[in-house]
Amino acid sequence: MGPGPTPRPLSVAARLSYAVGHFLNDLCASMWFTYLLLYLHSVRDYSSRGAGLLLLLGQVADGLCTPLVGYEADRAAGRCARYGPRKAWHLVGTACVLLSFPFIFSPCLGCGPATPEWAALLYYGPFIVVFQFGWAATQIAHLSLIPELVTSDAEKVELTALRYAFTVVANIAVFGAAWLLLHLQGAGQPGPAPGGGVGPQDVQVFRNLSLLVVGVGAVFSLLFHVGTRERRRPALQEPEEHSPLLAARPRAALRWTHWLREPAFYQVGLLYMSTRLIVNLSQTYMAMYLTYSLHLPKKFIATIPLLMYLSGFFSSFLMKPINKCIGRNLTYFLGLLTILAFAAWVALAGAMGTAVYAAAVLLGAGCATILVTSLAMTADLIGPYTHSGAFVYGAMSFSDKVANGLAVMAVQSLHPCPSELCCMACVGFYHWVMVAVTGGVGAAATLSLCSLFIWPIRLRSREPGERP
């Protein structure tokens, strides 16, 4: 029996409507990773371990939800009007994010100066869990649509690059709004002192920023649901006729248990986890590094991340031609080299001064390159087996979320200052944290990449005719 008809290419409008479907998540993730520790530690005056514990709670909740959502999204059948299982989960996740996220960056209702820290942490806990469940549902549903909407490698890279381009736009919007809100407040004194650095006086800045995030994100989520049509799933999946990374497969769909027997599943998973550790941890500790190690005015916690994502934005448009020219592995290696160059620069430099702008450009371009390429590798791994694609994305996300949470908790536990306020020991501490999360994890990612050079991505254990 010959292959089924090839789906028509997506229109420009359909591609753009898909690309904005993760915009709300990206806006929230930008605030979560860049400002959560700074907000809890410097604005709300919670201890380093207390702030790290809340971030760990969120990451663990997200990590546990992602494979469960992926499994349910793959198992769900049927559709209602324009809604298949992927878009239905996306809608549920969006609602959870909109209803919970503003409470995370707002003062604890009913809390006062005498409220113990553990009580305030218990207050934020449920909102964080609901937010992370919604974030996971939206992320997995959106990612798992890629191999269903397009089939060729070039289209997958293009859709992934468009998706990341809007991720960068979301981060630019958050940091631009943060800079504007801080500027309107009239702050700009250097150093981490209460008068010039981030402090309790900035609580309204973060609350207003969170409300702006959910308002703008809701509009883009609506555009996604109006403009993206989830294709009806065929009973059987045909492999692509020409795929450089995947050998020809039988038409039967793969179950989630089969992926656990595939070496390539773990190869790509380790690389994806390393990628997310670099991107998320560097974003998480950049504000602390700028404030406490470099003693820069607090407007830099908006301008430097903004420059990083502008660099990533322009780099994302080069992903398709670079991937076509030198391939996935070498493209990822090129991004790693850029990140390692940033780590070496930070390690060797003391007070960076204006050189911090150039370093931010390196880090932004490198993170964009490895993130887009790792997502394209995951789509390559799934190939035509989209019936279980959400489980693959969920499992990958589970590993990266738990690893991120544990890494942050480990760093926060090593915080050198005995009190809740930072002391002079923070200067060197956050300096070497930035080196470790870029250079150290970058070295681990290099080892994972080497395994893909030796054993390229393909499904090995399944033989033609074998039942899943």
Side-chain angles (χ1 to χ4, degrees), residues 103-172:
F103 290 95
I104 299 174
F105 284 91
S106 298
C108 171
L109 297 177
C111 297
T115 303
E117 181 176 305
W118 63 266
L121 297 183
L122 286 178
Y123 168 85
Y124 286 109
F127 293 113
I128 288 176
V129 171
V130 173
F131 162 66
Q132 291 292 0
F133 166 77
W135 202 97
T138 304
Q139 180 201 35
I140 297 306
H142 194 254
L143 281 173
S144 59
L145 276 171
I146 293 178
E148 290 201 1
L149 295 177
V150 295
T151 56
S152 72
D153 290 337
E155 288 177 314
K156 290 174 185 175
V157 173
E158 182 179 14
L159 212 56
T160 303
L162 272 176
R163 180 183 185 274
Y164 184 75
F166 277 97
T167 298
V168 175
V169 171
N171 282 275
I172 291 171

Side-chain angles (χ1 to χ4, degrees), residues 171-246:
N171 282 275
I172 291 171
V174 168
F175 299 133
W179 177 86
L180 181 61
L181 291 172
L182 290 169
H183 179 73
L184 291 177
Q185 200 181 33
Q189 305 298 326
V198 176
Q201 74 277 3
D202 297 307
V203 63
Q204 291 186 353
V205 170
F206 290 95
R207 183 194 62 191
N208 294 339
L209 185 59
S210 66
L211 292 173
L212 186 63
V213 158
V214 296
V216 174
V219 174
F220 281 91
S221 295
L222 178 63
L223 293 176
F224 163 78
H225 283 277
V226 171
T228 302
R229 181 180 292 274
E230 184 175 349
R231 288 172 176 165
R232 191 180 300 274
R233 295 188 196 177
L236 297 174
Q237 292 290 322
E238 290 282 359
E240 297 178 40
E241 184 177 357
H242 303 290
S243 178
L245 297 177
L246 295 171

Side-chain angles (χ1 to χ4, degrees), residues 401-424:
K401 296 304 188 325
V402 174
N404 272 282
L406 292 176
V408 168
M409 195 61 204
V411 172
Q412 294 300 105
S413 298
L414 296 173
H415 196 274
C417 300
S419 66
E420 296 177 4
L421 298 177
C422 275
C423 59
M424 288 303 297

